[in-house]
Amino acid sequence: MAIFQAQSLLLLLLSLFFFPALHATSFSYCDKRLDPVKVTGVKISPDPVVSGEAATFKILGSTGEDISGGKVVIRVSYFGIPVHTETHDLCEKTACPIAPGSFVISHSQTLPSFTPPGTYTLKMTINDKNGGRLTCISFKFKITIGSAVFAS
């Protein structure tokens, strides 16, 4: 009986740790008062992300003004603890100029093979060329264990 209870407790703990994340298409605005840039979707491949392998995050959106010269700030956190931050000129990640209309911002990254599995939050802020915030979104994504973790 005690072995069964121990196994049940272990399975419960593992299921909580590996609880599936919200799909990457579920995003929320950090500040709903910002209008110049609208985000229409988020795509991640692969989904879930595998530690030790390349992942691509694509932010789909539209803008009513030219946002060339702006910057995108990407912050990744794990249980609220920041684990990665980087800043890029918008023209590094998309074709310029980013004129009024629809756009895709693509961010690719290879995660270290020792990245712990779990649910992460990616928060992306788009600023104009003067540093003013145009939009900010956040979404959750899941990282699973890659084969590199078990390599000897």
Side-chain angles (χ1 to χ4, degrees), residues 4-133:
F4 178 73
Q5 289 174 338
Q7 288 175 336
S8 297
L9 181 61
L10 181 61
L11 285 173
L12 176 65
L13 290 173
L14 286 174
S15 67
L16 289 173
F17 189 74
F18 291 102
F19 190 76
L22 296 173
H23 284 286
T25 52
S26 300
F27 66 90
S28 61
Y29 284 96
C30 310
D31 187 343
K32 294 182 176 145
R33 297 170 295 166
L34 301 169
D35 288 328
V37 176
K38 294 285 185 194
V39 174
T40 56
V42 175
K43 292 185 178 177
I44 294 180
S45 58
D47 189 7
V49 176
V50 179
S51 61
E53 296 184 11
T56 301
F57 302 87
K58 290 189 177 181
I59 314 298
L60 293 74
S62 62
T63 179
E65 63 185 59
D66 188 318
I67 59 172
S68 300
K71 296 201 179 289
V72 57
V73 181
I74 296 168
R75 293 179 180 89
V76 178
S77 60
Y78 184 60
F79 289 109
I81 301 167
V83 294
H84 182 77
T85 301
E86 60 183 79
T87 303
H88 296 282
D89 290 333
L90 282 173
C91 295
E92 287 179 18
K93 297 295 177 184
T94 59
C96 273
I98 303 176
S102 61
F103 66 86
V104 177
I105 295 175
S106 182
H107 170 69
S108 294
Q109 183 174 339
T110 300
L111 298 168
S113 59
F114 53 83
T115 304
T119 301
Y120 288 72
T121 301
L122 189 145
K123 181 176 177 182
M124 188 193 76
T125 305
I126 298 176
N127 300 320
D128 65 18
K129 59 186 169 188
N130 299 318
R133 184 184 278 191

